[in-house]
Amino acid sequence: MRKHFLILLGTRPEAIKLFPVINRLKAEKNKDVAFTVCATAQHRELLDQVLKLAKVVPEFDLNVMTVNQTLDNLTGRLLAQIGEVLEKVKPTRVIVQGDTATAMTGALASYYHRIPVSHVEAGLRSGDIFAPWPEEVNRKIVGSIADQHFAPTERA
């Protein structure tokens, strides 16, 4: 069975931490493995700096960033647009990183489409849903959906 990974990133930290995954998949010569990069551009300028340095050109660029965006509006746009990408790409697995709105909505959209999720930098918890806000809740949502958890520390 052919594996097709959709890698979602929207912020500079996501891009930095997912580049080793992207580079490993680029090096994979196996015809049974493919990948697609989708940038949400949750943080446009900071993301673009890193993408340029790493010479990564996403196949999809959702360009969701707006001036003075609210979390609820951002989340709604991300959920709808990521869902459209999932319909087009039909990946066998989605890879998200960290605790951003991109990671959380990517996991949720994947759940709605019954696509398994891998969570890079999983397991970090503060125990307080308001600190850091909204990242702690984003982590909890992704953690409850993902079936693969790649934790950065023993404690996590």
Side-chain angles (χ1 to χ4, degrees), residues 28-112:
E28 187 66 43
K29 302 296 184 207
N30 186 335
K31 292 181 183 178
D32 292 332
V33 176
F35 74 97
T36 301
V37 176
C38 177
T40 66
Q42 179 182 335
H43 295 154
R44 171 92 274 161
E45 290 179 15
L46 298 174
L47 175 65
D48 286 348
Q49 291 170 355
V50 179
L51 291 175
K52 185 177 179 179
L53 279 172
K55 298 179 180 144
V56 171
V57 179
E59 287 83 356
F60 292 90
D61 188 333
L62 305 183
N63 198 29
V64 298
M65 185 172 180
T66 61
V67 177
N68 298 322
Q69 62 190 0
T70 62
L71 285 173
D72 52 352
N73 189 276
L74 172 64
T75 299
R77 289 192 323 275
L78 283 167
L79 190 59
Q81 290 183 43
I82 291 169
E84 290 173 9
V85 171
L86 293 174
E87 282 294 319
K88 289 177 187 171
V89 174
K90 301 202 183 312
T92 56
R93 178 166 293 279
V94 173
I95 301 172
V96 300
Q97 187 278 328
D99 55 14
T100 66
T102 292
M104 185 270 292
T105 56
L108 187 58
S110 299
Y111 167 75
Y112 290 158

Coordinates of all heavy atoms in Angstrom, one line a residue, residues 28-112:
E28 N 13.9 9.8 0.7 CA 13.3 8.4 0.5 C 13.2 8.1 -1.0 O 12.5 8.8 -1.7 CB 12.0 8.4 1.2 CG 11.3 7.0 1.3 CD 12.1 6.0 2.1 OE1 12.6 6.4 3.2 OE2 12.2 4.9 1.7
K29 N 13.8 7.1 -1.4 CA 13.7 6.7 -2.8 C 12.7 5.7 -3.1 O 12.5 5.3 -4.2 CB 15.1 6.1 -3.3 CG 16.2 7.1 -3.1 CD 16.1 8.3 -3.9 CE 17.3 9.2 -3.8 NZ 17.0 10.6 -4.0
N30 N 12.0 5.3 -2.1 CA 10.9 4.2 -2.2 C 9.7 4.8 -2.9 O 9.2 5.8 -2.5 CB 10.6 3.8 -0.8 CG 9.6 2.6 -0.8 OD1 8.8 2.4 -1.7 ND2 9.6 1.9 0.3
K31 N 9.3 4.2 -4.0 CA 8.2 4.6 -4.7 C 6.8 4.5 -4.0 O 5.8 4.9 -4.4 CB 8.1 3.9 -6.1 CG 9.2 4.3 -7.0 CD 9.1 3.6 -8.3 CE 10.4 4.0 -9.2 NZ 10.3 3.3 -10.4
D32 N 6.9 3.7 -2.9 CA 5.7 3.5 -2.1 C 5.4 4.6 -1.1 O 4.5 4.6 -0.3 CB 5.7 2.2 -1.4 CG 5.6 1.0 -2.4 OD1 5.0 1.2 -3.4 OD2 6.2 0.0 -2.0
V33 N 6.3 5.7 -1.1 CA 6.2 6.8 -0.1 C 6.1 8.1 -0.9 O 7.0 8.4 -1.7 CB 7.3 6.8 0.9 CG1 7.2 8.0 1.8 CG2 7.3 5.5 1.7
A34 N 5.1 8.9 -0.6 CA 5.0 10.3 -1.2 C 4.6 11.2 0.0 O 4.2 10.8 1.0 CB 4.0 10.3 -2.3
F35 N 4.9 12.5 -0.3 CA 4.4 13.5 0.7 C 4.1 14.8 0.0 O 4.5 15.1 -1.1 CB 5.5 13.7 1.7 CG 6.7 14.5 1.3 CD1 6.8 15.9 1.5 CD2 7.7 13.9 0.6 CE1 7.9 16.6 1.0 CE2 8.8 14.6 0.2 CZ 8.9 16.0 0.4
T36 N 3.2 15.6 0.7 CA 2.8 16.9 0.2 C 2.9 17.8 1.4 O 2.6 17.5 2.5 CB 1.3 16.8 -0.2 OG1 1.1 15.8 -1.2 CG2 0.8 18.1 -0.6
V37 N 3.4 19.0 1.1 CA 3.5 20.0 2.2 C 2.4 21.1 2.0 O 2.2 21.6 0.8 CB 4.9 20.7 2.1 CG1 5.0 21.9 3.1 CG2 6.0 19.7 2.3
C38 N 1.7 21.3 3.0 CA 0.7 22.4 3.0 C 1.0 23.4 4.1 O 1.1 23.1 5.2 CB -0.7 21.7 3.4 SG -2.0 23.0 3.5
A39 N 1.2 24.7 3.6 CA 1.5 25.8 4.5 C 0.2 26.5 4.7 O -0.5 26.9 3.7 CB 2.5 26.7 3.9
T40 N -0.2 26.7 5.9 CA -1.4 27.5 6.2 C -1.1 29.0 6.3 O -1.9 29.8 6.1 CB -2.0 27.1 7.6 OG1 -1.1 27.5 8.6 CG2 -2.4 25.7 7.6
A41 N 0.2 29.3 6.5 CA 0.7 30.7 6.6 C -0.1 31.4 7.8 O -0.4 32.6 7.7 CB 0.6 31.5 5.3
Q42 N -0.3 30.7 8.9 CA -0.8 31.3 10.1 C 0.0 32.5 10.5 O -0.5 33.5 11.0 CB -0.9 30.2 11.2 CG -1.4 30.7 12.5 CD -1.3 29.6 13.5 OE1 -1.4 28.4 13.2 NE2 -1.3 30.0 14.8
H43 N 1.3 32.4 10.3 CA 2.2 33.6 10.5 C 3.0 33.7 9.2 O 4.1 33.2 9.1 CB 3.2 33.3 11.7 CG 2.5 33.2 13.0 ND1 3.0 32.5 14.0 CD2 1.3 33.7 13.4 CE1 2.2 32.6 15.1 NE2 1.2 33.3 14.7
R44 N 2.5 34.5 8.3 CA 3.0 34.6 6.9 C 4.5 34.9 6.8 O 5.3 34.2 6.3 CB 2.2 35.6 6.2 CG 2.7 36.0 4.8 CD 2.1 35.2 3.7 NE 2.9 33.9 3.5 CZ 2.3 32.9 2.8 NH1 1.1 32.9 2.4 NH2 3.1 31.8 2.6
E45 N 4.9 36.1 7.3 CA 6.3 36.6 7.0 C 7.3 35.7 7.7 O 8.4 35.4 7.1 CB 6.4 38.0 7.5 CG 5.7 39.0 6.6 CD 5.8 40.4 7.0 OE1 6.7 40.7 7.8 OE2 5.0 41.3 6.5
L46 N 7.1 35.3 9.0 CA 8.0 34.5 9.7 C 8.2 33.1 9.0 O 9.3 32.6 8.9 CB 7.7 34.4 11.1 CG 7.6 35.7 11.9 CD1 7.1 35.5 13.3 CD2 9.0 36.3 12.0
L47 N 7.1 32.6 8.6 CA 7.1 31.3 7.9 C 7.9 31.4 6.6 O 8.7 30.5 6.3 CB 5.7 30.8 7.6 CG 5.6 29.5 6.8 CD1 6.2 28.3 7.6 CD2 4.1 29.2 6.5
D48 N 7.6 32.4 5.8 CA 8.2 32.5 4.5 C 9.8 32.6 4.6 O 10.5 32.1 3.8 CB 7.7 33.8 3.8 CG 6.3 33.5 3.2 OD1 5.8 32.4 3.2 OD2 5.7 34.5 2.8
Q49 N 10.3 33.3 5.6 CA 11.7 33.4 5.8 C 12.3 32.0 6.0 O 13.4 31.7 5.3 CB 12.0 34.2 7.1 CG 11.7 35.6 7.1 CD 11.8 36.3 8.4 OE1 12.1 35.7 9.4 NE2 11.6 37.6 8.5
V50 N 11.7 31.2 6.7 CA 12.3 29.8 7.0 C 12.1 28.9 5.7 O 13.0 28.2 5.3 CB 11.6 29.2 8.2 CG1 12.2 27.8 8.4 CG2 11.9 30.0 9.4
L51 N 10.9 29.0 5.1 CA 10.7 28.2 3.9 C 11.7 28.5 2.8 O 12.3 27.7 2.1 CB 9.3 28.4 3.3 CG 8.1 27.9 4.1 CD1 6.8 28.3 3.5 CD2 8.2 26.4 4.3
K52 N 12.0 29.8 2.7 CA 13.0 30.3 1.7 C 14.4 29.7 2.0 O 15.1 29.2 1.1 CB 13.1 31.8 1.6 CG 14.0 32.3 0.5 CD 13.9 33.8 0.4 CE 14.9 34.4 -0.6 NZ 14.8 35.8 -0.8
L53 N 14.8 29.8 3.3 CA 16.1 29.3 3.7 C 16.2 27.8 3.5 O 17.3 27.3 3.1 CB 16.3 29.6 5.2 CG 16.8 31.0 5.5 CD1 16.8 31.1 7.1 CD2 18.2 31.2 5.0
A54 N 15.2 27.1 3.7 CA 15.2 25.6 3.6 C 14.9 25.2 2.2 O 14.9 24.0 1.9 CB 14.2 25.0 4.6
K55 N 14.5 26.1 1.3 CA 14.2 25.7 -0.1 C 13.1 24.8 -0.2 O 13.1 23.8 -0.9 CB 15.4 25.2 -0.8 CG 16.6 26.3 -0.9 CD 17.8 25.7 -1.6 CE 18.8 26.8 -1.6 NZ 20.1 26.4 -1.5
V56 N 12.0 25.1 0.6 CA 10.8 24.2 0.6 C 9.7 25.1 -0.1 O 9.4 26.2 0.4 CB 10.4 23.8 2.0 CG1 9.0 23.2 2.0 CG2 11.4 22.8 2.6
V57 N 9.1 24.5 -1.1 CA 8.0 25.2 -1.7 C 6.7 24.3 -1.5 O 6.6 23.2 -2.1 CB 8.2 25.4 -3.3 CG1 7.0 26.1 -3.9 CG2 9.5 26.2 -3.5
P58 N 5.8 24.8 -0.7 CA 4.6 24.0 -0.4 C 3.8 23.8 -1.6 O 3.6 24.7 -2.5 CB 3.9 24.8 0.7 CG 4.9 25.7 1.2 CD 5.9 26.0 0.1
E59 N 3.2 22.6 -1.7 CA 2.3 22.3 -2.8 C 0.9 23.1 -2.6 O 0.3 23.4 -3.6 CB 2.0 20.8 -3.0 CG 3.1 20.0 -3.5 CD 4.2 19.6 -2.5 OE1 4.1 20.0 -1.3 OE2 5.1 18.9 -2.9
F60 N 0.6 23.4 -1.4 CA -0.6 24.1 -1.0 C -0.2 25.3 -0.1 O 0.6 25.1 0.8 CB -1.6 23.3 -0.3 CG -2.2 22.2 -1.2 CD1 -1.7 21.0 -1.3 CD2 -3.4 22.5 -1.9 CE1 -2.2 20.0 -2.1 CE2 -4.0 21.5 -2.7 CZ -3.4 20.3 -2.8
D61 N -0.7 26.5 -0.4 CA -0.4 27.6 0.5 C -1.8 28.2 0.8 O -2.4 28.9 -0.1 CB 0.5 28.6 -0.2 CG 0.9 29.7 0.8 OD1 0.1 30.1 1.7 OD2 2.0 30.3 0.6
L62 N -2.3 28.0 2.0 CA -3.7 28.5 2.3 C -3.7 30.0 2.6 O -4.8 30.6 2.5 CB -4.2 27.7 3.5 CG -4.2 26.2 3.3 CD1 -4.8 25.5 4.5 CD2 -4.9 25.8 2.0
N63 N -2.6 30.6 2.9 CA -2.5 32.1 3.1 C -3.6 32.6 4.0 O -4.3 33.5 3.7 CB -2.5 32.8 1.8 CG -2.0 34.2 1.9 OD1 -1.2 34.5 2.7 ND2 -2.5 35.0 1.0
V64 N -3.8 32.0 5.2 CA -5.0 32.3 6.0 C -4.8 33.6 6.9 O -5.7 34.1 7.4 CB -5.3 31.2 7.0 CG1 -5.8 30.0 6.2 CG2 -4.2 30.8 8.0
M65 N -3.5 34.1 7.0 CA -3.3 35.2 7.9 C -4.0 36.5 7.4 O -4.0 36.8 6.3 CB -1.8 35.5 8.0 CG -1.5 36.6 9.0 SD 0.3 36.7 9.2 CE 0.3 38.0 10.5
T66 N -4.7 37.1 8.4 CA -5.3 38.4 8.1 C -5.0 39.3 9.3 O -4.5 38.9 10.3 CB -6.9 38.3 8.1 OG1 -7.4 37.8 9.3 CG2 -7.3 37.3 7.0
V67 N -5.1 40.6 9.0 CA -4.8 41.6 10.0 C -5.8 41.5 11.2 O -7.0 41.3 11.0 CB -4.9 43.0 9.4 CG1 -4.7 44.1 10.5 CG2 -3.9 43.2 8.3
N68 N -5.3 41.5 12.4 CA -6.1 41.4 13.6 C -7.0 40.2 13.7 O -8.2 40.3 14.1 CB -6.9 42.7 13.8 CG -6.0 43.9 14.0 OD1 -5.0 43.9 14.6 ND2 -6.4 45.0 13.4
Q69 N -6.5 39.1 13.2 CA -7.4 37.9 13.2 C -7.7 37.4 14.6 O -6.8 37.5 15.5 CB -6.7 36.8 12.3 CG -5.4 36.3 12.8 CD -4.7 35.3 11.8 OE1 -5.3 35.1 10.7 NE2 -3.6 34.9 12.1
T70 N -8.9 36.9 14.8 CA -9.2 36.3 16.1 C -9.1 34.8 16.0 O -9.1 34.2 14.9 CB -10.7 36.6 16.4 OG1 -11.5 36.1 15.4 CG2 -10.9 38.1 16.5
L71 N -8.9 34.2 17.1 CA -8.7 32.7 17.1 C -9.9 32.0 16.6 O -9.7 31.0 15.9 CB -8.3 32.3 18.6 CG -6.9 32.6 19.0 CD1 -6.8 32.2 20.5 CD2 -5.9 31.9 18.2
D72 N -11.1 32.4 16.9 CA -12.2 31.7 16.4 C -12.4 31.8 14.9 O -12.6 30.9 14.2 CB -13.5 32.1 17.1 CG -13.8 33.6 17.2 OD1 -12.9 34.4 16.8 OD2 -14.9 34.0 17.6
N73 N -12.1 33.0 14.4 CA -12.2 33.2 12.9 C -11.0 32.4 12.2 O -11.3 31.7 11.2 CB -12.1 34.7 12.6 CG -12.4 35.0 11.1 OD1 -11.5 34.9 10.3 ND2 -13.6 35.3 10.8
L74 N -9.8 32.5 12.8 CA -8.7 31.7 12.2 C -9.0 30.2 12.2 O -8.8 29.5 11.2 CB -7.4 32.0 13.0 CG -6.2 31.2 12.7 CD1 -5.7 31.4 11.3 CD2 -5.1 31.5 13.7
T75 N -9.5 29.7 13.3 CA -9.8 28.3 13.5 C -10.8 27.9 12.4 O -10.6 26.8 11.8 CB -10.3 28.0 14.9 OG1 -9.2 28.3 15.8 CG2 -10.6 26.5 15.1
G76 N -11.8 28.6 12.2 CA -12.9 28.3 11.2 C -12.3 28.2 9.8 O -12.6 27.3 9.1
R77 N -11.5 29.2 9.5 CA -10.9 29.3 8.1 C -9.9 28.1 7.9 O -9.9 27.4 6.9 CB -10.2 30.6 7.9 CG -11.1 31.8 7.7 CD -10.4 33.0 7.2 NE -9.1 33.3 7.6 CZ -8.7 33.9 8.8 NH1 -9.7 34.3 9.6 NH2 -7.5 34.1 9.1
L78 N -9.1 27.8 9.0 CA -8.2 26.7 8.9 C -8.9 25.4 8.7 O -8.5 24.6 7.9 CB -7.3 26.7 10.1 CG -6.2 27.7 10.2 CD1 -5.6 27.7 11.6 CD2 -5.1 27.3 9.2
L79 N -9.9 25.2 9.5 CA -10.6 23.9 9.5 C -11.2 23.6 8.1 O -11.1 22.6 7.5 CB -11.7 23.9 10.6 CG -12.4 22.5 10.9 CD1 -11.4 21.5 11.3 CD2 -13.4 22.7 11.9
A80 N -11.9 24.6 7.6 CA -12.5 24.5 6.2 C -11.5 24.3 5.1 O -11.6 23.4 4.3 CB -13.4 25.7 5.9
Q81 N -10.4 25.1 5.1 CA -9.4 25.0 4.1 C -8.6 23.7 4.2 O -8.3 23.1 3.1 CB -8.6 26.3 4.0 CG -9.4 27.5 3.6 CD -8.5 28.7 3.5 OE1 -7.4 28.7 3.0 NE2 -9.0 29.8 4.0
I82 N -8.2 23.3 5.4 CA -7.5 22.1 5.5 C -8.3 20.9 5.1 O -7.9 20.0 4.4 CB -6.9 21.9 6.9 CG1 -5.8 22.9 7.2 CG2 -6.4 20.5 7.2 CD1 -5.4 23.0 8.7
G83 N -9.6 21.0 5.4 CA -10.5 19.9 4.9 C -10.6 19.8 3.4 O -10.6 18.7 2.9
E84 N -10.5 20.9 2.7 CA -10.5 20.9 1.3 C -9.2 20.3 0.7 O -9.3 19.5 -0.2 CB -10.7 22.3 0.7 CG -12.0 22.9 0.9 CD -12.2 24.4 0.6 OE1 -11.2 24.9 0.0 OE2 -13.2 25.0 0.9
V85 N -8.1 20.6 1.4 CA -6.8 20.0 1.0 C -6.9 18.5 1.2 O -6.4 17.7 0.4 CB -5.6 20.6 1.8 CG1 -4.3 19.8 1.5 CG2 -5.5 22.1 1.3
L86 N -7.4 18.0 2.3 CA -7.5 16.6 2.6 C -8.3 15.9 1.5 O -8.0 14.8 1.1 CB -8.1 16.4 4.0 CG -7.2 16.8 5.2 CD1 -8.0 16.7 6.5 CD2 -5.9 16.1 5.2
E87 N -9.4 16.5 1.1 CA -10.2 16.0 0.0 C -9.5 15.8 -1.3 O -9.6 14.8 -2.0 CB -11.5 16.8 -0.2 CG -12.6 16.6 0.8 CD -13.2 15.2 0.8 OE1 -13.4 14.7 -0.4 OE2 -13.4 14.7 1.8
K88 N -8.6 16.8 -1.6 CA -7.8 16.8 -2.8 C -6.7 15.8 -2.8 O -6.5 15.0 -3.7 CB -7.3 18.1 -3.2 CG -8.3 19.1 -3.6 CD -7.7 20.5 -3.8 CE -8.8 21.5 -4.1 NZ -8.3 22.9 -4.1
V89 N -6.0 15.8 -1.7 CA -4.7 15.0 -1.5 C -5.0 13.5 -1.2 O -4.3 12.6 -1.6 CB -3.8 15.6 -0.5 CG1 -2.6 14.8 -0.2 CG2 -3.4 17.0 -1.0
K90 N -6.0 13.3 -0.3 CA -6.3 12.0 0.2 C -5.1 11.3 0.8 O -4.8 10.2 0.4 CB -7.0 11.2 -0.8 CG -8.3 11.8 -1.4 CD -9.2 10.8 -2.0 CE -10.5 11.4 -2.5 NZ -11.2 12.3 -1.8
P91 N -4.5 12.0 1.8 CA -3.3 11.3 2.4 C -3.6 10.1 3.2 O -4.8 10.0 3.7 CB -2.7 12.5 3.2 CG -3.9 13.3 3.7 CD -4.8 13.2 2.4
T92 N -2.6 9.3 3.5 CA -2.8 8.2 4.4 C -2.5 8.5 5.8 O -2.8 7.8 6.7 CB -2.0 7.0 3.9 OG1 -0.6 7.3 3.9 CG2 -2.5 6.4 2.6
R93 N -1.8 9.7 6.0 CA -1.4 10.2 7.3 C -1.1 11.6 7.2 O -0.6 12.1 6.2 CB -0.2 9.4 7.9 CG 0.3 9.9 9.2 CD 1.2 8.9 9.9 NE 0.6 7.7 10.2 CZ -0.1 7.5 11.3 NH1 -0.3 8.5 12.2 NH2 -0.6 6.3 11.6
V94 N -1.5 12.4 8.3 CA -1.2 13.8 8.4 C -0.2 14.0 9.6 O -0.3 13.4 10.6 CB -2.5 14.6 8.7 CG1 -2.1 16.1 9.0 CG2 -3.4 14.5 7.5
I95 N 0.8 14.8 9.3 CA 1.8 15.1 10.3 C 1.7 16.6 10.7 O 1.7 17.5 9.9 CB 3.3 14.8 9.8 CG1 3.4 13.4 9.3 CG2 4.3 15.2 10.8 CD1 4.7 13.0 8.6
V96 N 1.5 16.8 12.0 CA 1.5 18.1 12.6 C 2.5 18.3 13.7 O 3.1 17.3 14.2 CB 0.1 18.4 13.2 CG1 -1.0 18.4 12.1 CG2 -0.3 17.5 14.4
Q97 N 2.8 19.5 14.0 CA 3.9 19.8 15.0 C 3.4 20.8 16.1 O 2.8 21.8 15.7 CB 5.1 20.3 14.4 CG 6.3 20.5 15.3 CD 6.3 21.7 16.1 OE1 5.8 22.8 15.7 NE2 6.9 21.7 17.3
G98 N 3.6 20.5 17.3 CA 3.4 21.4 18.4 C 2.0 21.7 18.8 O 1.1 20.9 18.9
D99 N 1.8 23.0 19.1 CA 0.5 23.5 19.8 C -0.1 24.7 19.1 O -0.8 25.4 19.8 CB 0.9 23.8 21.2 CG 2.0 24.8 21.3 OD1 2.3 25.5 20.4 OD2 2.5 24.9 22.5
T100 N 0.0 24.8 17.8 CA -0.6 26.0 17.1 C -2.0 25.7 16.7 O -2.5 24.6 16.7 CB 0.3 26.3 15.9 OG1 0.1 25.2 15.0 CG2 1.7 26.5 16.2
A101 N -2.7 26.7 16.2 CA -4.0 26.6 15.6 C -3.9 25.7 14.4 O -4.8 24.9 14.1 CB -4.6 27.9 15.3
T102 N -2.8 25.8 13.6 CA -2.6 24.9 12.5 C -2.6 23.4 12.9 O -3.3 22.6 12.3 CB -1.3 25.3 11.7 OG1 -1.5 26.6 11.1 CG2 -1.0 24.3 10.6
A103 N -1.8 23.1 13.9 CA -1.7 21.7 14.4 C -3.1 21.2 14.9 O -3.5 20.1 14.6 CB -0.7 21.6 15.5
M104 N -3.7 22.0 15.7 CA -5.0 21.6 16.3 C -6.1 21.4 15.2 O -6.7 20.4 15.2 CB -5.5 22.7 17.3 CG -6.7 22.3 18.1 SD -8.3 22.8 17.3 CE -8.1 24.6 17.5
T105 N -6.2 22.4 14.3 CA -7.3 22.2 13.3 C -6.9 21.2 12.2 O -7.7 20.5 11.7 CB -7.5 23.6 12.5 OG1 -6.3 24.1 12.0 CG2 -8.2 24.6 13.5
G106 N -5.6 21.0 12.0 CA -5.1 19.9 11.1 C -5.5 18.5 11.7 O -6.0 17.7 11.0
A107 N -5.3 18.4 13.0 CA -5.7 17.1 13.6 C -7.2 16.9 13.6 O -7.7 15.8 13.3 CB -5.2 17.1 15.1
L108 N -7.9 18.0 13.9 CA -9.4 17.9 13.9 C -9.9 17.6 12.5 O -10.8 16.7 12.4 CB -10.0 19.2 14.5 CG -11.5 19.1 14.8 CD1 -11.9 18.0 15.7 CD2 -12.0 20.5 15.3
A109 N -9.5 18.3 11.5 CA -9.9 18.0 10.2 C -9.6 16.6 9.8 O -10.4 15.9 9.1 CB -9.3 19.0 9.2
S110 N -8.4 16.1 10.1 CA -8.0 14.8 9.8 C -8.9 13.7 10.5 O -9.3 12.7 9.9 CB -6.5 14.5 10.3 OG -5.7 15.4 9.6
Y111 N -9.3 14.0 11.7 CA -10.2 13.2 12.5 C -11.5 13.1 11.7 O -12.1 12.0 11.5 CB -10.4 13.7 13.9 CG -11.6 13.1 14.6 CD1 -11.5 11.8 15.1 CD2 -12.8 13.8 14.7 CE1 -12.6 11.2 15.7 CE2 -13.9 13.2 15.4 CZ -13.8 12.0 15.9 OH -14.9 11.4 16.5
Y112 N -12.0 14.2 11.3 CA -13.3 14.3 10.5 C -13.2 13.5 9.2 O -14.2 12.9 8.8 CB -13.7 15.7 10.2 CG -14.1 16.5 11.4 CD1 -14.1 17.9 11.3 CD2 -14.6 16.0 12.6 CE1 -14.5 18.7 12.4 CE2 -15.0 16.8 13.6 CZ -14.9 18.1 13.5 OH -15.3 18.9 14.6

